[in-house]
Amino acid sequence: MAHTAEQIVSSDFLTYQQIADDLGVAAASVRHYNTLAEMERAAGNPKGKVLFPERVYIPGIRQPFFRADEYAAWKKARQATNRSARGRRTHLESTDRLEVNMLLNDRIRNALSEAKISQGTVAHTIGLSPSAVQFRLAGKSRWQRSEVEAIERLTQQQILDRP
C-alpha cells in the first residue's frame, strides 16, 4: 500500500495543502506566499518583514514541506500585524462579506485606474493572490468589507456607500 507524504512525515512538517486548509485559501495562494518570501529573502529582506517559512526537502520525497513551528510563528505574526490574516472565518465574520455587486467592482476598478495601482499591488497589499483579486473583480467571488476598506486606504478614494 502506498503512503501519502502526509503519512510519511511527522507532524513537525506541513504540506502546501495542509497550510492552505488551515488558512482557508487555495494551495496556489500558499505557493504565492512562498514565492514572495523567496523574493524578499533574495533581496535581503530590507524591510524586516516576517517571511513565510522556507521550504524543506526530505530525502526520498519530492514534495516540499514547511516546518510546523515556523509556520505557526509566521501565522501568529501575520495575525498580530493584521496583514489580511484571513484564516477560517467565524459565522459572525462571514456576514461581513459583501454581496457580489458589479457596481462595486466597477468602483474598485475605477479607483485603481485613477490611482494607477495594479491588481497585483492590491493583491500583495491585502494578502490575496492575484487570481483571487481577478475572481472578485469578475464577480465570481465576494469581497470582504475589510478588503474593500483596505483598497479605499490604498487608493485614498471612497468606494463603499456609507450612511
Side-chain angles (χ1 to χ4, degrees):
M1 178 177 152
H3 294 285
T4 65
E6 288 86 355
Q7 293 169 325
I8 295 171
V9 178
S10 73
S11 62
D12 294 338
F13 298 96
L14 299 170
T15 64
Y16 279 111
Q17 190 60 55
Q18 288 171 318
I19 292 172
D21 291 345
D22 182 57
L23 293 174
V25 299
S29 295
V30 177
R31 286 185 183 88
H32 180 72
Y33 302 151
N34 181 57
T35 300
L36 292 175
E38 287 177 353
M39 291 185 331
E40 285 292 324
R41 279 188 194 91
N45 193 14
K47 296 181 182 176
K49 294 180 183 178
V50 176
L51 300 178
F52 192 79
E54 289 188 63
R55 289 181 291 191
V56 175
Y57 288 93
I58 297 172
I61 302 176
R62 291 180 51 164
Q63 177 179 2
F65 292 89
F66 301 90
R67 294 188 188 284
D69 56 344
E70 291 177 8
Y71 165 70
W74 172 82
K75 183 178 174 185
K76 184 177 181 180
R78 183 175 183 226
Q79 288 171 338
T81 60
N82 197 21
R83 180 127 166 81
S84 188
R86 294 171 36 180
R88 296 191 185 274
R89 294 178 185 92
T90 65
H91 173 68
L92 292 176
E93 290 171 327
S94 66
T95 61
D96 197 33
R97 297 189 95 186
L98 302 170
E99 291 298 318
V100 172
N101 182 332
M102 295 313 287
L103 176 60
L104 173 64
N105 290 337
D106 288 341
R107 288 180 180 178
I108 292 172
R109 272 192 219 91
N110 290 339
L112 295 176
S113 177
E114 288 176 22
K116 295 182 171 68
I117 297 173
S118 70
Q119 290 180 19
T121 300
V122 170
H124 179 71
T125 302
I126 64 178
L128 295 174
S129 68
S131 60
V133 171
Q134 289 175 341
F135 266 62
R136 284 165 171 73
L137 287 172
K140 295 179 182 177
S141 61
R142 297 176 181 185
W143 290 100
Q144 287 190 45
R145 181 173 302 280
S146 61
E147 294 166 346
V148 178
E149 289 169 347
I151 293 171
E152 286 179 327
R153 288 189 297 275
L154 185 64
T155 62
Q156 298 180 349
Q157 295 184 33
Q158 183 176 340
I159 297 169
L160 294 172
D161 291 328
R162 291 184 174 82

